Amino acid sequence: MVRAEMSVIAALFMLGVIHSASAQVQKKYDAGVTDTEIKIGNIMPYSGPASAYGLIGKAEAAYFKRLNDRGGINGRKINFISYDDAYSPPKAVEQARKLVESDEVLLIFSSMGTPSNSAIHKYINGRKVPQLFVASAATKWADPKNFPWTMGLAVNYQTEGRIFAKSILEQKPDAKIAILFQNDDFGKDLMRGFIDALGSKQSMIVARESYEVSEPTIDSQVVKLKHSDADVLVNFSSPKFAAQAIKKVSELGWRPLHIVTSVSSSVGAVIAAAGLDSLQGLISATFYKDTMDPQWKDDPGMASYLEFLNRYMPEANRADTIVTLGYLFAQAMEQVLKQCGNELTRENIMKQAASLRAVKSDVLLPGITINTSADNFSPIEQMQMMRFKGTQWELFGGLLKGNMQF
């Protein structure tokens, strides 16, 4: 009898050992992960000419704090390590190396800016570290064949440029177009899509002026563009310079159809510098909800977002959609980590990031979801046009996707 009982106990012990060993085998970690923590690296321009974008990083930090307060992901808290690069590519390289080699993060998440990300692109891929949901809409982030460790999130710049060109062809087919653009990968990518979509109508462009991010003002460029007698101004600028251009156009009494990029459409980011009167009639496009738009007052997703702001970012300007972007990026990152389960390896991070199917977000426009595959690293591909009227943006037209037919 005793022998039988001992046999049962031994059997149960062995089953426990096997079960425990099996659980350990199922857990696969790379650098930056333990049973209680996931290290995520981030690079933001908290200072410098693009400091307005620093709010993205602050919103992401607040989102992860909320996530941690709720228990984290599968019991693991997010350790969000975010450094300032002042929108300087050399500084971005320095910070990326620090995150990967010293902090040993699992991945680089939502690093901001086309120039900075371009500077670390090859290094990150060479180290086989995920460069995930880049906070830049450059088309180059959707190249899984050559850069399998990099993925963006927002609608890419070339697609946005095509949307603007087709909108002009539809609204003003005889337009005389002036273009102001940032002289780097950001501005040139938008230009490439815009010119491509104009096709045989490229002669509509009567003037172009560029600027460097190191310049204190772009007033002289705007004056030159006005003298071209253009009746459409396409403003491919980041927030600081877009605000300057909007204000200067108004001061000059120039009344072109004025189009700004989605990244510079935040009322909170541009209104203080440009002034409300200057924004009237401005045209842009978006893929996410605006907290100032009354149509979302009963929307569950907007309610969740506003609750987040009230508790975790009470100081944030509700009109600043740059904060909304930070929330969107962090929500997408949470989804990827959830899909990874206990296999928190860099390889599985990219596998799950490339396996997103109709993922919704609290802040995406209705009908827009996040979708990826092994050969599609463009998670969001739809936008809707909007016009500024009164104190807010008003959406018009339907969702635009693919060949951008209107």
Side-chain angles (χ1 to χ4, degrees), residues 41-175:
N42 173 261
I43 303 170
M44 279 284 149
Y46 293 113
S47 62
S51 59
Y53 289 125
L55 280 172
I56 293 177
K58 293 178 181 179
E60 290 164 348
Y63 187 97
F64 291 134
K65 185 178 187 309
R66 183 180 73 167
L67 188 60
N68 288 341
D69 287 347
R70 294 176 173 179
I73 298 177
N74 294 326
R76 300 179 183 88
K77 301 295 182 70
I78 303 298
N79 182 356
F80 184 61
I81 305 172
S82 183
Y83 293 136
D84 181 20
D85 73 345
Y87 204 63
S88 165
K91 186 68 173 177
V93 172
E94 177 186 333
Q95 302 293 35
R97 288 186 178 277
K98 183 178 179 182
L99 287 167
V100 173
E101 298 170 24
S102 298
D103 297 312
E104 296 186 317
V105 297
L106 175 64
L107 63 121
I108 302 291
F109 160 70
S110 184
S111 45
M112 216 297 297
T114 304
S116 292
N117 280 287
S118 295
I120 67 175
H121 200 191
K122 291 183 179 179
Y123 165 74
I124 293 294
N125 276 262
R127 295 296 296 252
K128 296 184 178 180
V129 175
Q131 185 182 13
L132 195 56
F133 300 147
V134 177
S136 153
T139 309
K140 67 170 70 176
W141 315 135
D143 185 8
K145 181 179 180 181
N146 296 306
F147 294 95
W149 298 92
T150 300
M151 181 186 291
L153 182 67
V155 176
N156 71 58
Y157 294 137
Q158 286 189 35
T159 294
E160 185 172 345
R162 292 188 189 101
I163 288 173
F164 290 147
K166 289 186 175 290
S167 180
I168 291 171
L169 291 171
E170 182 76 10
Q171 295 181 59
K172 293 177 70 70
D174 298 320

Side-chain angles (χ1 to χ4, degrees), residues 8 24 27 36 44 68 100 107 118 139 175 177 179 181 188 210 237 239 241 257 297 335 344 358:
V8 170
Q24 291 298 321
K27 290 182 179 180
T36 60
M44 279 284 149
N68 288 341
V100 173
L107 63 121
S118 295
T139 309
I177 303 169
I179 302 175
F181 68 100
K188 292 175 181 177
S210 66
S237 307
F241 299 102
L257 175 67
K297 67 182 181 68
Q335 178 64 32
L344 287 160

Side-chain angles (χ1 to χ4, degrees), residues 66-373:
R66 183 180 73 167
L67 188 60
N68 288 341
D69 287 347
R70 294 176 173 179
I73 298 177
N74 294 326
R76 300 179 183 88
K77 301 295 182 70
I78 303 298
N79 182 356
F80 184 61
I81 305 172
S82 183
Y83 293 136
D84 181 20
D85 73 345
Y87 204 63
S88 165
K91 186 68 173 177
V93 172
E94 177 186 333
Q95 302 293 35
R97 288 186 178 277
K98 183 178 179 182
L99 287 167
V100 173
E101 298 170 24
S102 298
D103 297 312
E104 296 186 317
V105 297
L106 175 64
L107 63 121
I108 302 291
F109 160 70
S110 184
S111 45
M112 216 297 297
T114 304
S116 292
N117 280 287
S118 295
I120 67 175
H121 200 191
K122 291 183 179 179
Y123 165 74
I124 293 294
N125 276 262
R127 295 296 296 252
K128 296 184 178 180
V129 175
Q131 185 182 13
L132 195 56
F133 300 147
V134 177
S136 153
T139 309
K140 67 170 70 176
W141 315 135
D143 185 8
K145 181 179 180 181
N146 296 306
F147 294 95
W149 298 92
T150 300
M151 181 186 291
L153 182 67
V155 176
N156 71 58
Y157 294 137
Q158 286 189 35
T159 294
E160 185 172 345
R162 292 188 189 101
I163 288 173
F164 290 147
K166 289 186 175 290
S167 180
I168 291 171
L169 291 171
E170 182 76 10
Q171 295 181 59
K172 293 177 70 70
D174 298 320
K176 292 188 292 184
I177 303 169
I179 302 175
L180 175 68
F181 68 100
Q182 190 163 296
N183 190 28
D184 59 15
D185 287 345
F186 161 67
K188 292 175 181 177
D189 209 12
L190 283 156
M191 281 268 287
R192 191 172 297 112
F194 183 80
I195 292 173
D196 177 64
L198 285 180
S200 62
K201 299 288 187 177
Q202 292 179 26
S203 59
M204 294 169 70
I205 301 173
V206 297
R208 303 182 199 182
E209 287 291 330
S210 66
Y211 68 87
E212 306 295 331
V213 294
S214 58
E215 295 184 47
T217 178
I218 55 174
D219 285 0
S220 62
Q221 287 94 328
V222 175
V223 171
K224 289 178 183 177
L225 292 173
K226 179 183 183 296
H227 290 159
S228 71
D229 292 325
D231 54 12
V232 172
L233 173 60
V234 180
N235 189 347
F236 291 146
S237 307
S238 50
K240 171 186 173 181
F241 299 102
Q244 287 184 9
I246 292 166
K247 184 178 181 181
K248 190 63 179 179
V249 166
S250 179
E251 290 175 350
L252 292 172
W254 187 18
R255 297 289 181 267
L257 175 67
H258 193 167
I259 297 174
V260 296
T261 65
S262 61
V263 298
S264 296
S265 65
S266 171
V267 178
V270 304
I271 194 171
L276 189 61
D277 290 342
S278 303
L279 300 178
Q280 301 305 311
L282 207 63
I283 298 291
S284 190
T286 188
F287 50 89
Y288 48 89
K289 302 167 188 171
D290 183 349
T291 57
M292 307 307 290
D293 190 335
Q295 72 174 300
W296 310 123
K297 67 182 181 68
D298 297 320
D299 178 72
M302 182 57 72
S304 179
Y305 173 58
L306 291 175
E307 181 184 7
F308 158 79
L309 291 180
N310 290 335
R311 183 171 179 183
Y312 290 92
M313 293 191 75
E315 76 289 352
N317 182 351
R318 300 298 186 271
D320 197 339
T321 52
I322 289 178
V323 179
T324 313
L325 281 174
Y327 184 94
L328 170 63
F329 279 84
Q331 198 164 48
M333 187 71 251
E334 178 186 6
Q335 178 64 32
V336 171
L337 292 174
K338 282 181 176 178
Q339 290 184 194
C340 284
N342 286 321
E343 189 178 344
L344 287 160
T345 63
R346 288 166 172 169
E347 183 177 355
N348 195 39
I349 287 286
M350 293 310 301
K351 179 182 178 181
Q352 298 306 321
S355 304
L356 299 173
R357 302 288 185 272
V359 174
K360 296 181 179 180
S361 168
D362 293 332
V363 295
L364 284 174
L365 290 177
I368 298 181
T369 56
I370 299 171
N371 295 275
T372 58
S373 67

